[in-house]
Amino acid sequence: MSLIGAYPCINISAPTELSFVSASICMLLSISAIAGNLLVVLAVVIDPNKNLQSPFNFLVANLALADFMVGIIVEPMSVDFYIREGFGIPESDVKRNTRRICYFISCTASLLSLAFMTADRYLAITHPMKYRAKLNPKRTALGSLCLWVFSFSFPILYIEVGYLKYQFVFANTAVISAFTVLVFTYVKVFKSFKAQIKNWDDFHDTSKENQAKKRTITFEKKVTTAFLVMLWVFMASFLPSLALIYIISFCGECSCYFIHWARDFNYYLAMANSSVTPYVFAWRLKTYRRAFYKIFKIMSCRWPRAKARPRSFSVNLSCQLKEMRLENGSTLTIKTRI
């Protein structure tokens, strides 16, 4: 039985084919994580449809920023590591520690973001008046700052305790916390949903105020459902990952060939979570889908191809004219001569 903190096959090289397969998978996950999470951050920051500037969406952007960090730093460094491993070139201690610390920083930020989002959903549904009064953009920004300060400082403990031991403790904490949050949110929030809707049906069912409340609670239910789906994705990634960490740590009779595959598959699962999360919001929430569409439309208008035909140029020009009319309310007429 191997001790936690000592990788059992550290002196035995991984299969060459495994290293190159892992490099390819990490490259694909990196592209997916960068594209999806960048879109989420842009959607919240630019807010093209003027409906994403809320504390919860700021926390969504915070989570997307942590996952974007995985895609643009951790996974490219992992690609470099696996390619070096395939060719038998050792990785320097500085690169290895940087890659692992960045990985733990992003994972810690993701986990804390989920905790903040849970508090947001709970207050928004169970205490809507308190939620509007207490959770404003300034407090959300302050909470996000504290979150990132902790995320940058806490994973440095990995240097003291070692990679596998820190990963073991973190994975256990992540899975237990996510499961607790999932159960708590589901039970409390959806009980509150039912109670509020029942009360509104009993009193002033046809009033405009009641109808507005129903629309609000329906929207909040959609947002909370998307959040719960995201938590399920988190659990689906980290629960098998935790099981593989147990195998790597305690299976003294497992072959090193199997241990290397378990090591890499564990890494795929953790990285895949960062790549899938932004698409959950695009799938579940129309507000994000519309924002993504608007961003793509703006990009297609402002970045025409260099060798565009006259017809393509006229389409792009019409897009620009449309934006000008939306911004200043005036109408610009251009006369062209052929």
Side-chain angles (χ1 to χ4, degrees):
M1 181 183 295
S2 63
L3 297 175
I4 301 175
Y7 188 66
C9 299
I10 192 169
N11 296 320
I12 300 176
S13 300
T16 303
E17 66 275 11
L18 172 62
S19 299
F20 289 117
V21 167
S22 297
S24 301
I25 291 175
C26 283
M27 190 178 298
L28 293 174
L29 291 175
S30 176
I31 294 169
S32 176
I34 291 172
N37 289 293
L38 182 60
L39 269 177
V40 171
V41 173
L42 288 176
V44 176
V45 173
I46 298 174
D47 194 13
N49 295 315
K50 308 301 179 186
N51 57 5
L52 291 176
Q53 296 286 330
S54 68
F56 178 76
N57 288 315
F58 290 145
L59 294 173
V60 171
N62 209 47
L63 177 63
L65 191 61
D67 292 336
F68 180 75
M69 180 180 173
V70 172
I72 204 167
I73 298 176
V74 179
E75 287 173 344
M77 293 184 74
S78 300
V79 172
D80 176 72
F81 163 73
Y82 285 122
I83 291 175
R84 286 174 176 273
E85 186 181 62
F87 286 112
I89 304 171
E91 184 184 37
S92 67
D93 292 340
V94 174
K95 278 189 174 182
R96 180 171 60 252
N97 288 332
T98 301
R99 173 169 54 83
R100 289 175 174 176
I101 288 175
C102 288
Y103 166 69
F104 285 125
I105 288 172
S106 62
C107 287
T108 305
S110 295
L111 190 60
L112 292 177
S113 295
L114 290 174
F116 272 91
M117 291 165 75
T118 303
D120 177 279
R121 290 296 84 206
Y122 180 73
L123 287 174
I125 302 304
T126 58
H127 302 90
M129 300 306 294
K130 274 187 182 179
Y131 174 76
R132 291 181 179 275
K134 292 189 175 183
L135 198 59
N136 52 47
K138 288 185 179 179
R139 292 188 176 182
T140 305
L142 181 61
S144 297
L145 179 62
C146 295
L147 179 155
W148 281 103
V149 169
F150 183 84
S151 298
F152 271 93
S153 59
F154 187 70
I156 297 176
L157 289 174
Y158 134 76
I159 298 175
E160 296 293 330
V161 302
Y163 173 69
L164 199 60
K165 186 181 293 185
Y166 188 94
Q167 186 188 36
F168 182 86
V169 173
F170 180 85
N172 275 278
T173 304
V175 170
I176 293 171
S177 301
F179 182 76
T180 303
V181 163
L182 186 67
V183 173
F184 175 82
T185 306
Y186 185 84
V187 173
K188 294 289 184 181
V189 170
F190 279 93
K191 275 187 178 180
S192 180
F193 274 139
K194 291 180 180 179
Q196 289 185 35
I197 291 174
K198 183 179 179 180
N199 290 336
W200 295 339
D201 286 339
D202 291 340
F203 300 100
H204 310 295
D205 185 58
T206 58
S207 67
K208 290 183 179 180
E209 182 183 358
N210 192 42
Q211 291 174 3
K213 286 182 178 180
K214 283 185 178 182
R215 286 195 297 269
T216 301
I217 200 65
T218 300
F219 174 75
E220 294 294 348
K221 184 176 181 180
K222 288 180 181 179
V223 173
T224 306
T225 303
F227 172 63
L228 290 174
V229 171
M230 187 185 64
L231 279 177
W232 277 114
V233 171
F234 186 88
M235 286 289 296
S237 299
F238 275 87
L239 189 58
S241 177
L242 177 61
L244 290 170
I245 292 172
Y246 270 93
I247 292 172
I248 294 170
S249 301
F250 296 110
C251 186
E253 298 179 358
C254 295
S255 67
C256 283
Y257 182 84
F258 175 78
I259 290 293
H260 281 303
W261 273 99
R263 175 204 67 173
D264 287 10
F265 195 67
N266 161 48
Y267 194 69
Y268 305 156
L269 289 170
M271 294 296 100
N273 181 70
S274 298
S275 301
V276 172
T277 299
Y279 302 103
V280 171
F281 285 97
W283 166 46
R284 300 293 305 184
L285 299 174
K286 286 183 179 179
T287 50
Y288 278 92
R289 290 199 298 272
R290 289 170 181 167
F292 294 165
Y293 173 76
K294 193 71 173 288
I295 290 171
F296 281 128
K297 189 176 180 180
I298 293 172
M299 290 170 60
S300 66
C301 291
R302 292 185 177 178
W303 296 343
R305 291 177 296 178
K307 295 182 179 180
R309 295 179 180 178
R311 185 176 179 183
S312 298
F313 175 77
S314 64
V315 172
N316 291 323
L317 182 59
S318 67
C319 290
Q320 293 174 13
L321 291 176
K322 184 178 180 181
E323 285 181 13
M324 292 173 66
R325 284 197 297 270
L326 288 173
E327 290 174 3
N328 55 33
S330 62
T331 302
L332 179 62
T333 304
I334 296 178
K335 294 182 180 180
T336 57
R337 205 177 275 181
I338 299 176

